[in-house]
Amino acid sequence: MKLNFEYGTGTMIAELPDTTDVFIPGETVKDPDCLEQSYDNLYKATLESVRNPIGMPTLTELANPDSKVVFVVPDIVKGGNQATSHRRMTIRVCLDELYSKGVKKENVMILISNGLHSRATIPEMRTILGDIFEEFYADNRITSHDSEDYDHLVYLGIAPNGDPVYMNKYVFDADIAIMVGHTQGNPYGGYSGGYKHSATGITHWRSIATHHVPKVMHKDEFVPVSTSNTMRSKFDVQSMFMEEKMGKKFFCVDAVLDTKARQIAIFSGWAKEMQPKSWEVADKRTYVHWAEKKYDVVVFGMPTGFHYGDGMGTNPIQFMQALSAQIIRHKRVLSDKCVFIVSSICDGWFHDEIWPYAQEIYEMFQNDSNNILPDVDRYGEYFATNAEYIRKYRFANAFHPFHAFSMMSCGHLAEKHTSAIYMVGAKKPGIARGMGLKTRATFEEALEDAKNKYVGDNPNILALPLAFKTASVHLCMKDPSQNSHSRDNATGGCCG
C-alpha cells in the first residue's frame, strides 16, 4: 500500500506491505458522540455543569458584588479555537453567572496559563478568546502567566511531599479562581486538565523541575501512559497545597474533547473529586482497545510545525520529545524489539526565536562525555537562570529555558524503549544522527535495513498517518489481558 506521511510542510509517500495496519484517531475507531454543537445547546450543557459542581459550592454561592475573579485559560497548544470552543463557552457562561450576582467586569481577569511555554501573543489571545478578547483586552484585563515575574508570583513553601511550590499571584489573590481545562489524552500523567493544569500552567520552573525530570519520567511506572504514577501524584499534591494556602478550591470546568476538539462531556467542581469522573468518560475515547497484535515497526511522519510551534519537527530537542510521546502513548501495543521509522525534513532550522537556547544545548550534548540525554540534565539550573534566555521568555515570546530540559527528559524514552529509530528524508541527517537516530533517504530503505538488523522478514507494521495533526489516543490491545505492563491495572480498569 502507498501512504502519505507528514514531511516538512507537505508529505512523503511510503510504499508499505499490504499487511500494514493503519490507525487514524477518530476515523479507524470512531470517537464517542460529541454534544450537539450549536451555540445554544453547548451554552445549556456548560451552564448545567457549572450549576452542578462536584464537591464544592456553585459560582453564584461563591460570588458577591465585591468578588475578584480570575479565569485561568490554557494556551493555544491545547484545545480548539472554534466559536463554540470549550474555553469560550465556559468563560461566557461563568461571566453570566457572576454578573448575575453583581460581580463587576473590572474585577475580572483572564490569565493565559502558558507555564513555561511561550507567553501568548496578542493574535494568539484573540484566536483563543474570540469576541471575549475585545471585551477585556482594552482594559488590561487579559495577561499571560510570567513565571519569572516575581512581583506576580507567590512562594507558598514546601508541599507535604517536599516539593517547592510557587503560583501566580493574580490567582492566589482572587476570591474565585476558575480553571478552564481540557480532559484530553496526554503522555504526561494521562490527561490534561484537572490538577495538571494548575501544577504546570501557573507556577515556576523550580516547581516543574520536581516532576518533568529524569528521576520521575524514567521510572518504569511512567511508560505506558497512566494517571497512576509519581508525576500525576505530584500534580495533585502541589495543586492541593496551592488550595490550602489560598484558602479556597479551584473551581474547575473541564471538558472531555474529541478528535476535533468538540465537547463530549463537561465536568465542573473540585478537581480532587471531579477529575476522576471526567477520566471515566474520557477513557472511552482515549484508551482505544484496538490492536490484535504487538507491532515491530511503527511508521509516521513529522511536519515542520505542530504542537509547541513551528520548528517542532526540525528542532532536535523538540522532535525527540515528539518521538517519545508516541512511545508513552502506545507502548502497550509495541513489541520489545520495536523500531520507529519517521519522516522529517530535519533541515537545521531550530527556530531560534522561540527556542533560543536549543542550539547551545544540542552542541553541548555532542561534547564533554554526554552520551545520553539524561547526562545533560545537570545543566538544567544553569540554563534556567540564564538572564538573556529569561528575558526572551518574558518579553520576546520564547519558551522558558527549563522547558528544553523537560523535553529532553521525555526525549530519552524514545531511545530507552526502541531497538532503533530511523529518520527518513532529512536534509541535514547529521543533526538526527547527533541525537542517536539512524538516517536513510526513504521509508523503503529504512524498512529494509530494519528487517535485516532488528525485526526479521515479516514484521508487524503499524502506520500512523496524521500522528501530529490530530488529537492522539492511547492505543491498547483489544484483549485487556495482553496489556502486560505493571501499571495497567492502576488505570481505573481500562487497560487491565
Side-chain angles (χ1 to χ4, degrees), residues 439-456:
T439 55
R440 293 294 186 274
T442 67
F443 284 107
E444 294 77 13
E445 290 177 23
L447 180 57
E448 191 61 29
D449 193 67
K451 287 179 180 179
N452 291 334
K453 296 176 179 174
Y454 305 108
V455 298

Side-chain angles (χ1 to χ4, degrees), residues 214 218 365 372-378 408 412:
H218 297 171
F365 181 48
I372 56 175
L373 283 172
D375 292 340
V376 186
D377 183 65
R378 67 186 186 275
M408 288 188 291
H412 176 65

